[in-house]
Amino acid sequence: PKPSIKLDADVSCLFQTIKSEPAWGALNMNNTTLIIRGSRLKMVSIALAGFLFAGLGFLMVTDGYAFGWLVMAFFGLTTLIGIFFLLKGPPTLLLTEQGFEMSTMFKPAVFAWRDVTGFYVYQVSGVKMIGMSFSPTYKKHQAVRNLTERFTGVASALPNCYTKSAEEICTILNEWLQRYGAQNCIRR
């Protein structure tokens, strides 16, 4: 699939220009595009954990607990998502001068650097994720972000499914935001 962010000319030959590509991603020669790959191992872990918890939900239902249906449905969906990304290929995170793009199941999530004010690592039930703080001028999906933030404390997040740790990705994102965010605000 083609990235939806407008990329510079070097991206078309990104993989040809990289002599020793690191296992976690790729950076073009001008340091203006970075691709961070998703981890197949993490996708397998998600699928297996979802399967095990869906099984526990099934056992809850057989013991007469109606809540088991919800557990089974949620973790069954988690299992399917893990399997989907195993078949399709793990998600990727694309960073450019203009912004970043997360691959998702259907349509890539694209954000300009001017829309974000920072990134931070947080935990939900022991699982690390990368939270995003938005600029007050960013109005897309405002109602959904407000609702999500009310229930989870975070307006939006990147999953911890990449070949680098959540802390490393958070550092990289904040560095790129610092490098390109101010210049994109000026171009408006």
Side-chain angles (χ1 to χ4, degrees):
K2 289 179 127 180
S4 56
I5 295 177
K6 186 178 179 201
L7 302 172
D8 59 36
D10 290 335
V11 176
S12 63
C13 58
L14 178 66
F15 292 104
Q16 289 92 10
T17 62
I18 299 167
K19 300 294 183 226
S20 59
E21 185 179 312
W24 56 268
L27 182 66
N28 73 341
M29 297 305 263
N30 294 335
N31 295 335
T32 58
T33 304
L34 174 66
I35 299 171
I36 300 174
R37 291 191 184 91
S39 166
R40 285 197 178 277
L41 181 61
K42 288 183 181 179
M43 290 297 103
V44 168
S45 299
I46 289 170
L48 286 176
F51 182 74
L52 291 174
F53 282 106
L56 290 175
F58 177 75
L59 292 176
M60 290 171 70
V61 169
T62 60
D63 283 343
Y65 295 100
F67 183 72
W69 286 107
L70 184 63
V71 171
M72 199 166 50
F74 177 80
F75 287 106
L77 182 61
T78 302
T79 303
L80 293 176
I81 290 170
I83 291 170
F84 174 84
F85 278 113
L86 279 172
L87 297 174
K88 177 185 174 209
T92 56
L93 183 60
L94 171 68
L95 283 62
T96 70
E97 293 175 278
Q98 293 79 30
F100 65 99
E101 175 180 309
M102 298 181 293
S103 61
T104 63
M105 286 184 71
F106 305 108
K107 180 180 168 190
V110 180
F111 300 93
W113 293 119
R114 68 176 172 268
D115 299 333
V116 181
T117 58
F119 300 90
Y120 54 93
V121 176
Y122 74 100
Q123 286 190 324
V124 176
S125 302
V127 177
K128 289 183 181 180
M129 297 186 77
I130 302 161
M132 298 167 40
S133 298
F134 289 95
S135 166
T137 59
Y138 182 67
K139 301 298 181 195
K140 282 187 175 179
H141 312 293
Q142 184 75 45
V144 173
R145 287 187 289 122
N146 288 342
L147 185 65
T148 304
E149 192 166 18
R150 183 179 300 156
F151 286 105
T152 66
V154 179
S156 188
L158 285 83
N160 184 12
C161 63
Y162 301 102
T163 51
K164 288 190 149 304
S165 71
E167 291 82 4
E168 290 172 305
I169 292 175
C170 188
T171 299
I172 291 168
L173 286 166
N174 280 315
E175 287 171 357
W176 280 64
L177 175 62
Q178 186 175 9
R179 185 181 316 151
Y180 297 116
Q183 88 182 33
N184 278 323
C185 287
I186 294 167
R187 284 191 219 164
R188 284 173 116 185

